[in-house]
Amino acid sequence: MNPVLSARGVGFGYGDRDILRGVSVDLFPGEVTILLGPNGAGKSTLIRILSGILPPREGEVLMCGRPPGEFRRREMARLLSVVGQDPPVDFPMTVQAYVALGRFPHQGFFGGTSKEDLEQVERAMEKTELTGLRDRTLAEISAGERQRATVARAIAQGARVMLLDEPTAFLDIRHRVAFYEIVTQLKETCGIAALVASHDLSLCAEYGERIVLLSGGTVAAQGRPEEVLTPGNVHAAYGVAVACDRNPATGAIRVTPLRGMPTKN
Amino acid sequence: MTAGGKRSGAVFPVLAAALLGALVLSAATGPVSISPRAAFDAIFRGTDDTPGRVLLSLRLPRALLGALVGGALASSGVAFQALLRNPLADPYILGVSGGAAVGALTVALFLSADASPLLPLCAFGGAALAALAVFLLARRRSGVSPERLILMGVVVGAFLNAVIMLMVTLSPPGKIPGALYWLMGDLGLGTPRRVAVLFPYVALGTVLLYLLSRGLDLLLLGDHAAFQAGLSVERVKTATYLTASLLAGSVVAVSGLIGFVGLIVPHGARVLVGSGHRRLLPASFLLGGAFLVLSDTLARVASPAGELPVGAVTALAGAPFFLHLLRRNGGRS
């Protein structure tokens, strides 16, 4: 199977400070890939490069085998949606209006809103449990609810590839689980490819087909959860001693931190 | 349902009625009293008497000019606010109006020709240059912070004010009082000819902005998110910046420096119709027109000794409002 989005030997940096070196990642349709790594490992930068905002200094990004620059913006946005770490919207905008902005690549610049647009927006809000908040403005809801609205906007965009930069950071456990269930559902019904940057090691082992562990700007390990989530890999990347076993209830890899001050690495 | 959400359909008829009411009030206010009958005769039957002439050559052009100027300033404010993702932006505060004034003065003082159609174009050039200067000065690699932008706007505005004073001082003596009064923001120069000169620029600018509505909605998300949502960010920003400068510049050319309309009115309009630009832009135009026409009427009757420049009235209302927004914004970030 061909990857739908891939980074080949990608390097990036500002001046002589390297942020990424020789990073190769492939995203496949119908697969959830988890992007792990300590703060500052380069996860957000990699997502920006994959989404076409930052041009890589070395290597290349290929979307369906072509460089992102060859696509028109709206064409690209129909293929790829991104939940980034964006600044807050300083204007009074309702949740529904915000989610509806995700439909832009399907609408004419000058055209109106179609029935299909309304349905997709409604469905995205139902999935993320936001229908009750539709008329509230973004300033009136909590950080977790705003994060769900951002995910809803990406879902409404209806793309085949989703890049999500720490989409569960502000969510409670209910909405964390719900998030991964939504992504799994989109994967199974629509065959989307998703890359989710996260710090939740056990939960992502439950839902991710593959894990990419980024450390110091390079890929430290990549593969199935049981291949990547080993005490050695986790300690090398995070400097934290952990125990890794199988969760008896689900069979997925479970990562348990052990007490003790993290070491420098 | 575009971005914005609030749906009450009655807002637009009410706003249109408010503008119409303001125009009627403005036309009816003044030392010469004009009966409704006389007004009707003058407008529809072409009766040529004193009240009719006052109405057709003084009051109505002045009121219509106020509506155009107020609407254009409010629309320009909406556009700059979306462009800079900054609810504090306004052509006057950003120094854009100052740039336009320098451009217009260059024509008015040194090339002569009263109410020349060239005037709005040169003012547009000055406005665009000032906006570009402020934006480049405020930009850093980490982006443009609202406070830094306002600061640069003030600095560039102060510099341009000095240039304006220098130009006025160097100009032929006979032209100085008129130029100073114009600078304070004045609709008293409203002649049918000026309304006709301004109209095409305002029409072009507001229609262009309206066509950019969807793009402006997405710009509110920030550059990265707008790009990822499928917007050609640079193209839309360039078009918005040029159009907003055109509106602000052409308005300054005929009415001088009228501040704060572009700041207050969009805030009020957002309360009424939300942030979606397909509703916000028309609502701001109507509200801005009504606001400036009323401010001008107030300016004409407020002082028994003579008229206040309308810019003084809008600044009296606008400066405290700006402070309020600045404090609220500062508390949040």
Side-chain angles (χ1 to χ4, degrees):
Chain A
M1 189 164 47
N2 289 327
V4 56
L5 179 62
S6 49
R8 301 269 162 81
V10 159
F12 187 80
Y14 294 107
D16 52 5
R17 192 166 65 91
D18 279 351
I19 295 175
L20 293 175
R21 282 189 313 278
V23 173
S24 293
V25 174
D26 288 319
L27 302 184
F28 295 96
E31 247 187 43
V32 174
T33 304
I34 307 289
L35 183 60
L36 293 180
N39 298 140
K43 299 188 296 296
S44 297
T45 304
L46 178 59
I47 284 181
R48 288 196 187 122
I49 288 173
L50 283 170
S51 77
I53 280 184
L54 292 176
R57 199 156 69 178
E58 292 142 29
E60 60 177 355
V61 170
L62 293 174
M63 178 88 204
C64 304
R66 291 155 61 194
E70 284 186 12
F71 291 86
R72 300 177 51 176
R73 279 301 331 136
R74 281 141 59 84
E75 196 184 350
M76 185 74 176
R78 284 195 292 267
L79 294 172
L80 173 73
S81 64
V82 184
V83 171
Q85 298 184 349
D86 296 310
V89 176
D90 272 341
F91 296 86
M93 188 187 286
T94 63
V95 169
Q96 177 159 349
Y98 177 76
V99 175
L101 290 180
R103 296 301 297 167
F104 175 70
H106 303 273
Q107 298 165 327
F109 196 95
F110 309 115
T113 305
S114 69
K115 204 165 162 240
E116 162 88 5
D117 292 331
L118 293 174
E119 281 168 11
Q120 294 295 337
V121 169
E122 200 59 33
R123 205 169 303 161
M125 285 197 300
E126 274 165 19
K127 281 196 171 118
T128 49
E129 301 186 41
L130 288 170
T131 45
L133 301 174
R134 68 171 79 236
D135 291 326
R136 303 260 206 103
T137 67
L138 295 174
E140 292 166 348
I141 60 177
S142 74
E145 288 161 347
R146 268 197 295 280
Q147 198 158 36
R148 278 151 53 202
T150 311
V151 171
R153 183 164 61 79
I155 293 172
Q157 202 170 320
R160 288 159 58 190
V161 187
M162 295 182 84
L163 306 176
L164 303 115
D165 193 357
E166 296 192 32
T168 60
F170 296 108
L171 300 189
D172 61 35
I173 187 164
R174 171 197 173 86
H175 290 104
R176 255 171 220 230
V177 170
F179 166 79
Y180 282 106
E181 287 294 335
I182 292 167
V183 172
T184 304
Q185 195 193 342
L186 288 171
K187 173 188 82 177
E188 284 165 0
T189 58
C190 311
I192 68 154
L195 180 69
V196 184
S198 172
H199 290 300
D200 202 334
L201 274 57
S202 293
L203 199 56
C204 63
E206 199 78 52
Y207 286 97
E209 268 81 24
R210 285 187 321 120
I211 292 180
V212 175
L213 177 60
L214 214 54
S215 180
T218 60
V219 176
Q222 163 156 219
R224 294 195 306 278
E226 61 270 27
E227 295 167 341
V228 175
L229 293 176
T230 64
N233 281 341
V234 173
H235 187 268
Y238 293 94
V240 172
V242 298
C244 297
D245 60 357
R246 295 253 177 206
N247 185 329
T250 65
I253 294 290
R254 176 172 62 184
V255 181
T256 312
L258 304 175
R259 290 182 61 154
M261 195 61 194
T263 56
K264 283 202 173 145
N265 51 341
Chain B
M1 178 200 60
T2 51
K6 300 189 182 175
R7 253 165 282 189
S8 52
V11 171
F12 285 98
V14 169
L15 285 175
L19 176 56
L20 195 66
L23 288 171
V24 170
L25 183 68
S26 173
T29 306
V32 176
S33 69
I34 301 169
S35 67
R37 180 68 198 259
F40 182 88
D41 285 350
I43 293 172
F44 296 105
R45 296 202 181 135
T47 315
D48 189 30
D49 52 7
T50 305
R53 278 200 297 275
V54 167
L55 183 70
L56 289 186
S57 59
L58 292 176
R59 298 230 187 120
L60 268 186
R62 182 174 186 145
L64 288 174
L65 188 69
L68 282 181
V69 168
L73 284 174
S75 305
S76 176
V78 168
F80 275 118
Q81 287 168 13
L83 181 65
L84 303 167
R85 295 190 74 240
N86 185 345
L88 298 177
D90 152 287
Y92 185 73
I93 294 164
L94 287 174
V96 176
S97 298
V102 172
L105 270 176
T106 311
V107 179
L109 295 179
F110 302 114
L111 302 174
S112 82
D114 182 55
S116 147
L118 252 183
L119 213 62
L121 269 187
C122 288
F124 162 51
L129 283 177
L132 190 66
V134 169
F135 189 66
L136 290 180
L137 285 169
R139 180 144 75 170
R140 285 181 167 174
R141 207 175 67 188
S142 54
V144 178
S145 80
E147 287 76 15
R148 200 173 151 75
L149 200 70
I150 301 298
L151 194 66
M152 288 306 151
V154 169
V155 172
V156 170
F159 177 78
L160 290 170
N161 266 336
V163 173
I164 290 167
M165 287 308 145
L166 194 67
M167 290 175 83
V168 170
T169 314
L170 293 178
S171 66
K175 290 191 171 183
I176 290 180
L180 283 179
Y181 205 73
W182 167 77
L183 279 175
M184 284 192 282
D186 180 37
L187 296 171
L189 301 168
T191 59
R193 177 164 163 74
R194 274 173 204 267
V195 174
V197 165
L198 184 61
F199 182 77
Y201 290 98
V202 173
L204 178 71
T206 45
V207 168
L208 281 178
L209 274 190
Y210 186 77
L211 292 177
L212 288 167
S213 290
R214 270 240 155 93
L216 296 178
D217 289 346
L218 282 153
L219 284 183
L220 299 186
L221 299 177
D223 287 4
H224 284 183
F227 177 90
Q228 287 156 344
L231 189 70
S232 302
V233 174
E234 291 310 315
R235 218 181 293 170
V236 169
K237 279 186 142 180
T238 307
T240 305
Y241 146 76
L242 288 175
T243 312
S245 299
L246 175 73
L247 278 172
S250 56
V251 159
V252 167
V254 297
S255 67
L257 297 174
I258 299 175
F260 297 104
V261 178
L263 180 81
I264 304 177
V265 172
H267 278 272
R270 276 195 197 92
V271 172
L272 296 173
V273 301
S275 291
H277 288 85
R278 290 222 176 145
R279 291 166 61 81
L280 180 59
L281 281 167
S284 295
F285 191 93
L286 293 172
L287 194 61
F291 173 72
L292 196 63
V293 172
L294 285 179
S295 297
D296 183 54
T297 311
L298 192 65
R300 283 192 286 135
V301 300
S303 159
E307 290 178 9
L308 268 175
V310 66
V313 175
T314 60
L316 278 174
F321 185 74
F322 178 70
L323 273 180
H324 163 71
L325 289 178
L326 197 61
R327 283 172 63 97
R328 205 182 62 181
N329 203 54
R332 216 186 326 159
S333 55

